[in-house]
Amino acid sequence: MIRDTLPLRTLGRDGPAVGALGLGCMGMSEFYGPADPAESVRTIHRAIDLGCTLIDTADIYGHGDNEVLVGRAIADRRDRVVLASKFGIQRRRDDPSFRGISGAPAYVREACDASLARLGVETIDLYYVHRTDGVTPIEETVGAMADLVRAGKVRWLGLSEVGAATVRRAHAVHPIAAVQTEYSLWSRDVEPLLPVLRELGIGFVPYSPLGRGFLTGATTDASTLAADDFRRTQPRFAEENAARNRELLAAFTTIAADKRCTPAQLALAWLLAQGLDVVPIPGTTKTTRLDENLGSVDVALSARDLARIEALRLHESVAGTRYPDMRWAMRESA
């Protein structure tokens, strides 16, 4: 049974109030194999109707196609959505392997205008630096983003996959509402950053909260994935690691069964229990999975439950890194 609406959480000391869970839309356009655009739009609509109001996209997802899809989906309900997008990672349609990064002020302005056009909106509510480029000082990048706020093109600012020093420097230029980084039961390297975010009054948005689907127990064998599913290239899905990681899930699945919830719901409930400033954004392309994920807000975890989960130490035992090249993770600015 799904409740009528989600409880609210606030991103940042002066940021937006959003549903306790958001919706990551990346897989609706790319990376996780084929998706049905019509079903994706239905999923976005149902998410909004159920109070899942933080809708997350980025300019690189589907080479901008995801922003077009999200913009179309929210067009008749824009006032009910906190719309998040990102810039900074550059791609080329004619060279799928190319990845560049830019935080140059001129590029910030150019990227924002392009996203606004694709989304079909006048303002992006939460605008993230997707990655720092290692060349442009974060003060210059965030300074250009602050200009976007003053121009009415952006409401709140965010950072993605950054370290504590970069967060402090950025926040000194303009208040940061949220930091987005991978965080789940088996990806916990961000935890030393959380006290800094709380000190500064910055909300935290975990992406890939279900371990790119592995923690659900339903997607643990790369051979079953579509040929273009990027998880085929991810270390934790490589067969020599996946076999070990499947073993780790057995005890976790037992706890979920004891709680009469699914492993996905237990993984999300654990994240929600980490603080009222935490708003995970699990991605899905299907309304059935959305309903399952949203059910996690009703999974109450006692101190004993949390201790049982903690005792598994999944993040210490997991085989494989979360990226093939960990230079993409928690980058500090120049």
Side-chain angles (χ1 to χ4, degrees), residues 11-213:
L11 289 177
R13 195 165 283 149
D14 301 305
V18 298
L21 287 174
L23 177 64
C25 297
M26 181 180 79
M28 296 177 178
S29 300
E30 197 182 10
F31 298 110
Y32 291 108
D36 177 358
E39 176 67 6
S40 293
V41 169
R42 284 192 292 270
T43 300
I44 294 172
H45 286 174
R46 182 160 177 78
I48 297 168
D49 290 343
L50 294 174
C52 181
T53 53
L54 178 62
I55 306 298
D56 184 273
T57 182
D59 60 1
I60 66 158
Y61 300 162
H63 297 276
D65 293 344
N66 194 247
E67 287 184 323
V68 174
L69 182 148
V70 168
R72 185 172 73 249
I74 69 170
D76 63 349
R77 56 202 77 198
R78 176 67 183 93
D79 60 342
R80 298 165 59 193
V81 169
V82 174
L83 176 61
S85 194
K86 314 174 199 70
F87 76 93
I89 300 177
Q90 300 169 306
R91 300 180 65 193
R92 296 172 183 162
R93 285 187 186 269
D94 61 351
D95 182 1
S97 65
F98 175 80
R99 293 290 188 277
I101 305 177
S102 177
Y107 183 72
V108 174
R109 295 186 288 271
E110 174 188 335
C112 183
D113 286 343
S115 286
L116 289 170
R118 285 188 293 266
L119 289 161
V121 300
E122 295 181 355
T123 306
I124 297 169
D125 297 311
L126 177 57
Y127 200 41
Y128 291 97
V129 182
H130 211 161
R131 294 292 190 280
T132 60
D133 63 14
V135 176
T136 309
I138 195 64
E139 290 83 357
E140 294 182 15
T141 302
V142 173
M145 296 169 73
D147 288 341
L148 298 175
V149 175
R150 287 185 281 270
K153 296 181 178 183
V154 171
R155 289 193 175 92
W156 293 283
L157 303 186
L159 309 171
S160 178
E161 286 285 358
V162 291
T166 298
V167 172
R168 290 187 183 280
R169 289 167 57 191
H171 193 68
V173 175
H174 188 279
I176 301 299
V179 166
Q180 181 176 139
T181 296
E182 184 171 353
Y183 187 35
S184 72
L185 277 164
W186 72 0
S187 295
R188 295 174 58 177
D189 49 325
V190 72
E191 288 184 336
L193 177 63
L194 299 184
V196 175
L197 302 185
R198 285 163 180 157
E199 172 196 336
L200 299 175
I202 298 172
F204 182 59
V205 178
Y207 73 84
S208 295
L210 298 174
R212 307 190 192 282

